[in-house]
Amino acid sequence: MSLRFQEVIQKRWFQRLALSILFLFGVFQFVDTDALFKRIASLDLVWLIVALIVTLPQYYFSAERWRLTAGRLGAHLSRRAALSEYYFGSLVNQILPGGVLGDAGRALRHGHSLRSYGESDGLGMAARAVIFERASGQIVLFVFMLIGFFFWPTGSQEKVFSFQTGLSVLLFVMIFLILIYVLIKGVLKASSIGQFAIKFFQEARYTLLAGDVIFKQLSYSLIVLASYLFCFYCAAQAIDIEIALFELVALVPVVLFSMTIPITIAGWGVREASAAAIWGLAELPVVDGVAISVTYGIIVLISALPGIFFVISSKNNLKANH
């Protein structure tokens, strides 16, 4: 790692840390911090352990999704290497700015491994494999988030679902996506990089949506998403906060999707601000949403710690299954 790159990372780390602290400070101005910290301090270790156990299939199926995606591009890698790298990449995402450097690192190491096997486009193949693999999960999360709006709590004692809210959001998103599609299509036709972009999207469709692969992609991403939701449920139970199933389905995907915004460290601050806003809009106690979000962040960080041991003990160099 060059000195210049280290300086850039260090600068961005402090910037993202400052943003995380700023977001958290802002959130704490609107909640009862005494109640918040009291709940977090009473963390039930049994539920914490259950949540950590749930993350095991989460990492396994995420790694399998990466293997499947990479294999479709001819960029094969072993199961052990994929799992090791996914743990380490997740740990890096937890401690370095932006939340994507871990993914970039596993793409880079995979690419170098492919080049050592004679793949001239090894770096490109590995990068696209990671981009498509991450996209697979984000697309499913996005669709699930839209579905969740149909279960949006109204705040009434009867907990009536708001069909109107879901339909309004769905129509808005559909119109927005159609406009974006039309604009992008026009730009691609008029742009000199249009052919490259078209090929990129064709590869993405072949990798994610082809008939012989879409079921596996969907299954892996749904299992991973289910583990996220159950971890959030465990976080709530660990601090003795009840969360109904429809609240889990409606509220949590929005909070999870907010974590994809790469402006803080591991989503800290953004996640809590989103939880505060979402719980408030749903007319639920804001402090509950923030407390669950903080607990969830702790669980995610702890779950990624095995990444250290994979790096120390593993001497796999992302060896391909040739």
Side-chain angles (χ1 to χ4, degrees):
M1 185 182 295
S2 67
L3 181 60
R4 173 60 180 166
F5 184 72
Q6 289 179 347
E7 291 175 350
V8 170
I9 293 297
Q10 187 178 39
K11 181 179 178 180
R12 289 185 178 178
W13 189 86
F14 281 111
Q15 290 174 341
R16 301 297 194 272
L17 177 62
L19 279 174
S20 291
I21 293 174
L22 184 62
F23 272 113
L24 289 171
F25 179 78
V27 169
F28 291 164
Q29 302 309 302
F30 297 94
V31 299
D32 183 347
T33 52
D34 289 338
L36 174 66
F37 292 122
K38 184 178 180 180
R39 285 177 176 171
I40 296 173
S42 64
L43 184 68
D44 188 331
L45 292 181
V46 173
W47 277 105
L48 175 62
I49 293 172
V50 171
L52 292 175
I53 292 173
V54 170
T55 66
L56 298 178
Q58 178 185 124
Y59 280 101
Y60 175 81
F61 284 104
S62 294
E64 284 297 292
R65 185 176 63 194
W66 181 27
R67 288 185 69 231
L68 172 64
T69 305
R72 295 286 289 183
L73 298 174
H76 303 282
L77 70 160
S78 69
R79 179 172 286 110
R80 178 179 178 181
L83 187 58
S84 300
E85 283 290 323
Y86 220 101
Y87 262 105
F88 179 59
S90 297
L91 178 62
V92 172
N93 285 342
Q94 287 293 312
I95 59 179
L96 290 184
V100 296
L101 289 177
D103 299 316
R106 60 186 170 94
L108 186 62
R109 287 186 292 275
H110 186 199
H112 283 309
S113 176
L114 291 171
R115 291 185 67 175
S116 71
Y117 279 96
E119 295 284 359
S120 58
D121 187 34
L123 289 175
M125 293 166 63
R128 294 194 298 276
V130 169
I131 292 171
F132 297 156
E133 180 267 323
R134 296 297 295 164
S136 176
Q138 297 305 326
I139 291 171
V140 169
L141 173 59
F142 181 73
V143 172
F144 203 89
M145 180 179 69
L146 295 182
I147 295 172
F149 283 112
F150 287 92
F151 297 89
W152 195 266
T154 62
S156 66
Q157 293 299 317
E158 293 81 11
K159 300 295 184 182
V160 179
F161 302 149
S162 178
F163 181 80
Q164 184 178 358
T165 300
L167 186 60
S168 300
V169 172
L170 182 61
L171 288 174
F172 173 79
V173 170
M174 288 178 64
I175 293 171
F176 177 76
L177 291 177
I178 290 172
L179 289 174
I180 292 297
Y181 172 77
V182 171
L183 289 174
I184 290 178
K185 189 175 181 180
V187 170
L188 290 181
K189 285 184 176 180
S191 172
S192 59
I193 63 171
Q195 291 301 314
F196 172 81
I198 290 172
K199 181 181 178 182
F200 179 86
F201 287 115
Q202 286 176 340
E203 273 194 330
R205 184 171 59 184
Y206 171 74
T207 303
L208 304 178
L209 302 176
D212 60 338
V213 75
I214 187 171
F215 179 76
K216 281 188 175 181
Q217 286 283 6
L218 183 61
S219 298
Y220 292 160
S221 292
L222 284 175
I223 291 171
V224 172
L225 176 56
S227 71
Y228 290 155
L229 295 177
F230 191 68
C231 278
F232 221 92
Y233 174 79
C234 291
Q237 295 300 309
I239 54 177
D240 198 25
I241 295 176
E242 291 298 324
I243 181 169
L245 178 60
F246 74 92
E247 291 172 345
L248 194 72
V249 171
L251 308 182
V252 175
V254 185
V255 177
L256 293 175
F257 199 76
S258 73
M259 293 174 62
T260 62
I261 303 173
I263 59 174
T264 62
I265 295 178
W268 281 100
V270 171
R271 179 182 57 239
E272 285 66 39
S274 298
I278 296 303
W279 256 250
L281 287 172
E283 300 180 35
L284 295 169
V286 172
V287 68
D288 286 359
V290 176
I292 298 171
S293 178
V294 171
T295 307
Y296 177 81
I298 294 170
I299 291 170
V300 172
L301 176 59
I302 295 174
S303 74
L305 291 180
I308 298 174
F309 302 104
F310 275 112
V311 173
I312 294 174
S313 63
S314 176
K315 294 187 178 179
N316 79 82
N317 291 312
L318 288 169
K319 293 181 180 179
N321 288 329
H322 289 283

